[in-house]
Amino acid sequence: MLFGRVISVGIGYLCGMFLSGFLYGKKENVDLRKVGSGNVGTTNTMRNLGVKAGILTLIGDVCKVFMAMVIVWLIFRNRYPDSVKVLELYAGVGCILGHDFPAYMKFKGGKGIACTGGLLIGFCPLAVPISLGIFILVVAITRYVSLGSILGVISLEIQIIVFGQMGLLSVPEQYLMEVYIVFGFVAGLAIILHHANIGRLLKGTENKFSFHSKKQEA
């Protein structure tokens, strides 16, 4: 399984470096690293290039996680039939790392929220309605996407532990603690990457969500 974990993270990392927001921006002659927050993820893409760009980026970031998890499942489903889901989790984490820290972009990519959503859908779909509901509710009330993302990933860790203890994760019991720790890492990484947003939230200077792109407003 150690070999399987390493290979799974590597496969995920390679898939994660496919940055759909960055590629869409290039098509529009916009370098997302130089506009807005400098982030190549969904929110900055939508803010600067419009709703269509944001939706396509979201779909791309979610689907690449699925791709990584499916590749790992195909490789290891016979070798580790009872624990292949654990390796799929590592593929998802590797994809988040590839998205957040792509080697060809000097390790500066996105913040991994859409990828985390893809991991959640693939690994524990039961947690999707609650996490998505929290995100939508917080953004609808405050218009702060970053706050919705932070609270959503915090709720994710809680849900994974609860569902794991209820036996709903389809993971052998000996791997449950490892799963909790890995998801804790994912949540912690997302919060750390939002440190600038947290600072702005505390100061009251964080950007609020809008459906109008700067390109449209120009």
Side-chain angles (χ1 to χ4, degrees):
M1 281 288 286
L2 176 60
F3 171 77
R5 290 179 181 88
V6 173
I7 294 299
S8 298
V9 170
I11 291 172
Y13 186 86
L14 292 175
C15 292
M17 287 196 293
F18 179 82
L19 300 169
S20 50
F22 176 73
L23 295 175
Y24 191 98
K26 282 293 186 183
K27 183 179 75 70
E28 297 294 321
N29 296 315
V30 176
D31 188 343
L32 289 171
R33 297 172 297 178
K34 298 178 181 179
V35 297
S37 64
N39 186 279
V40 296
T42 301
T43 303
N44 197 44
T45 302
M46 182 178 292
R47 183 175 290 124
N48 288 281
L49 297 176
V51 176
K52 177 184 176 182
I55 292 174
L56 291 176
T57 298
L58 174 64
I59 293 173
D61 288 347
V62 169
C63 287
K64 67 186 179 185
V65 180
F66 291 159
M67 181 172 67
M69 295 176 77
V70 168
I71 292 173
V72 166
W73 178 80
L74 289 172
I75 293 174
F76 293 111
R77 69 187 190 281
N78 294 323
R79 185 179 180 89
Y80 303 111
D82 297 326
S83 54
V84 68
K85 192 171 182 181
V86 177
L87 298 181
E88 291 175 38
L89 171 60
Y90 277 94
V93 173
C95 195
I96 294 171
L97 292 174
H99 176 85
D100 294 347
F101 311 107
Y104 68 96
M105 292 179 61
K106 298 181 180 179
F107 302 100
K108 184 180 180 182
K111 295 179 182 176
I113 296 300
C115 292
T116 300
L119 173 60
L120 185 59
I121 295 171
F123 187 85
C124 183
L126 286 172
V128 173
I130 297 177
S131 293
L132 183 60
I134 290 174
F135 174 81
I136 292 175
L137 182 62
V138 172
V139 174
I141 293 174
T142 68
R143 291 177 58 198
Y144 290 131
V145 175
S146 56
L147 183 59
S149 299
I150 292 168
L151 294 179
V153 296
I154 291 174
S155 75
L156 167 60
E157 175 66 8
I158 297 171
Q159 291 178 78
I160 289 297
I161 293 174
V162 171
F163 290 139
Q165 294 303 112
M166 294 173 64
L168 300 176
L169 295 183
S170 301
V171 171
E173 187 173 352
Q174 68 264 33
Y175 295 111
L176 281 178
M177 184 57 65
E178 182 178 353
V179 169
Y180 301 157
I181 292 171
V182 171
F183 267 100
F185 168 78
V186 170
L189 178 62
I191 292 172
I192 290 172
L193 291 176
H194 280 82
H195 69 278
N197 302 86
I198 294 172
R200 291 194 295 269
L201 285 167
L202 294 174
K203 295 177 181 178
T205 58
E206 175 69 324
N207 293 320
K208 290 191 174 184
F209 176 76
S210 172
F211 280 105
H212 300 290
S213 73
K214 292 182 179 178
K215 186 177 179 180
Q216 291 171 330
E217 294 169 353

